[in-house]
Amino acid sequence: MAIKIIFLILFFAVMICVGLYSRKHATNVNDFVLGGRSVGPWLTAFAYGTSYFSAVVFVGYAGQFGYKYGLASTWIGIGNALLGSLLAWTVLGRRTRIMSNHLSAATMPDFFGKRYKSNALRIAASAISFLFLIPYTASVYNGLSRLFGMAFDIPYEVCVIVMALLTCVYVILGGYMATAMNDFIQGLVMLFGIVAVIFAVLNGQGGFLNAIHSLAEFESDVVPTIGQKGAFTSFFGPDPANLLGVIILTSLGTWGLPQMIHKFYAIKDEKSIQSGTIISTFFAIVVSGGCYFLGGFGRLFDTPAIYKEDGSIIYDAIIPSMLSTLPDLLVGIVIVLVLSASMSTLSSLVLTSSSTLTLDFLKDNFIKNMSEKKQLLYMRILLVFFIVCSVVLALFPPKSIAGFIAQLMGISWGALAGAFLAPFLYGLYWKGVTKAAVWASFICGIGLTVSNLFLSYIASPINAGAIAMILGLIIVPVVSLFTPKMEKKEVEKIFACLEEQVVVDKKIALPREKN
């Protein structure tokens, strides 16, 4: 217990110190929200990766999908690295930085408002962001608190409140720069921690080959392959179709999440984009791939702790049960690992929600002539309000979703990415997107996710979120073809920033040779 407490004290002290140090980088709105658009490749890449992966992935998703799909769940981590990191940085990174800077957009709702010349879209997007980031934040608290309960036997409620207060303090102090610097430190912990945990867990099962052999003995209880031995060690697992739905939601979903896209707004320069792409992809392979690979061995840790009284599985208890067998030193490392993953995600979520509600919802719409000082004040107040809302949802969740972290995250990601992904992606590349198409995407993403929450016509909220995203990618171009276009002059002005000439060294680009 002493080791665990020492690790925690050191972790908390470092975060608060970074918050205090970063105060000088949070004196105006641009610095507080974007770090002055001067954040380098390592900080940006780690901020992206640590915001991506939290206790939701480590405890909730790795436990649930590792148990369901076995070692094939590692494909989710590979998808996160290739689609959610490598391709996202390649397709979105540079254009997002150029266009958001050209439009002076500080948030995703602000981008929608200025790209499509519609204040109503900006207000709607900010309301959607605020409302649907709350369940995601609650899911992070949920996963974090389960692990704390295992390690310290501390009541769930105490864990949630302490984590909320700590996040609140360092984000209020230092804004985006504090979160980016802490994300870098926390990312290093995550990289080394996940490798150490995998080796320790497999060693406890007699090594990798013995663990594989033991897992292969389990008969599949999943409908497509029911009764089949070896399904949990097979290449695509016992249920490839549903596995694909999880890969789409968790990989493609990042393309439409405000807190993820926000990282591209703050990138410093071209070199930062190139380096950041490589760093964030490597980070995702190790952390996400490692988490799901570890979760794939969940069935080897079949203890009474993972079952309810009626015999049903508590998926969120699988990883804590697995880790409870580790030595105290490693448990201490795991706690700091999951704390690092979760605190970085929490800080990103609360900063995104408070900034978008202040800059896109209140400013100029409800409060006229809001000075720089007042904007910072309102952001900090709303930051606290957002945390309070998410804590209440974490402590008193609706009965239908109370048991599963993955469901809370699925609802949040499905609604946000279903609404935002298509109009944001097409808006960066295609001049023909119309306002009506953006509204259609918003309505489809939110409508499908929320209606399914109550009617359950799609069994899994994960699959519902994946379907919402794919539908958005179809709806936006179709609706754009049949609805009034934006004024050509306005659109040309917006895209003019992409045509500006820049001079680079020959080592970066070959010159055009004269005949």
Side-chain angles (χ1 to χ4, degrees), residues 68-243:
K68 283 184 176 180
Y69 309 127
L71 290 183
S73 63
T74 309
W75 281 110
I76 306 171
I78 295 170
N80 292 171
L82 299 182
L83 294 177
S85 294
L86 177 62
L87 202 59
W89 274 75
T90 304
V91 174
L92 301 177
R94 183 180 294 101
R95 284 199 175 228
T96 300
R97 174 63 174 82
I98 294 168
M99 202 173 282
S100 65
N101 188 46
H102 177 66
L103 296 172
S104 298
T107 64
M108 186 182 268
D110 197 17
F111 173 86
F112 286 131
K114 290 173 178 174
R115 165 64 180 85
Y116 299 109
K117 300 296 176 183
S118 171
N119 195 46
L121 279 175
R122 188 176 73 148
I123 293 171
S126 66
I128 292 167
S129 298
F130 188 83
L131 288 173
F132 287 94
L133 284 175
I134 290 174
Y136 185 19
T137 310
S139 70
V140 176
Y141 287 132
N142 195 338
L144 195 58
S145 301
R146 284 187 181 276
L147 203 64
F148 259 61
M150 176 273 290
F152 296 101
D153 199 24
I154 299 172
Y156 172 70
E157 294 78 10
V158 175
C159 293
V160 170
I161 292 167
V162 170
M163 292 305 101
L165 288 173
L166 187 61
T167 307
C168 198
V169 168
Y170 85 79
V171 179
I172 283 176
L173 285 172
Y176 183 79
M177 192 56 75
T179 65
M181 291 174 71
N182 269 323
D183 288 349
F184 179 72
I185 297 165
Q186 292 158 355
L188 292 174
V189 173
M190 290 166 69
L191 282 173
F192 291 109
I194 192 65
V195 173
V197 169
I198 289 171
F199 275 107
V201 168
L202 293 181
N203 190 52
Q205 293 294 315
F208 174 66
L209 293 179
N210 277 341
I212 292 284
H213 184 267
S214 301
L215 190 62
E217 293 300 310
F218 283 88
E219 291 186 0
S220 174
D221 51 6
V222 183
V223 173
T225 53
I226 199 159
Q228 179 184 321
K229 276 193 172 184
F232 297 112
T233 55
S234 62
F235 197 67
F236 289 120
D239 189 3
N242 279 311
L243 176 62

Side-chain angles (χ1 to χ4, degrees), residues 228-268:
Q228 179 184 321
K229 276 193 172 184
F232 297 112
T233 55
S234 62
F235 197 67
F236 289 120
D239 189 3
N242 279 311
L243 176 62
L244 181 62
V246 180
I247 293 170
I248 291 171
L249 179 77
T250 60
S251 302
L252 201 56
T254 59
W255 294 40
L257 295 179
Q259 75 275 16
M260 302 298 294
I261 296 299
H262 180 248
K263 304 298 182 289
F264 298 138
Y265 284 48
I267 296 174
K268 186 178 181 181

Side-chain angles (χ1 to χ4, degrees), residues 448-449 451-453 455-465 467-468 471:
L448 178 64
T449 310
S451 61
N452 187 64
L453 179 61
L455 302 176
S456 299
Y457 48 85
I458 301 171
S460 166
I462 307 293
N463 289 341
I467 291 168
L471 281 177

Side-chain angles (χ1 to χ4, degrees), residues 414-454:
L416 290 167
F420 294 158
L421 189 156
F424 185 79
L425 175 62
Y426 286 125
L428 291 174
Y429 281 88
W430 185 32
K431 297 176 182 179
V433 185
T434 64
K435 293 176 191 177
V438 181
W439 281 113
S441 181
F442 285 8
I443 292 165
C444 174
I446 301 302
L448 178 64
T449 310
V450 173
S451 61
N452 187 64
L453 179 61
F454 294 102

Side-chain angles (χ1 to χ4, degrees), residues 278-300:
I278 298 167
I279 297 163
S280 68
T281 303
F282 172 76
F283 186 91
I285 288 172
V286 175
V287 174
S288 185
C291 284
Y292 288 109
F293 175 74
L294 182 67
F297 293 98
R299 288 178 182 262
L300 302 182

Side-chain angles (χ1 to χ4, degrees), residues 46-57:
F46 272 66
Y48 186 90
T50 54
S51 297
Y52 198 164
F53 310 115
S54 66
V56 177
V57 170

Side-chain angles (χ1 to χ4, degrees), residues 422 426 469-479:
Y426 286 125
M469 282 185 277
I470 293 167
L471 281 177
L473 291 170
I474 298 168
I475 285 170
V476 168
V478 170
V479 174

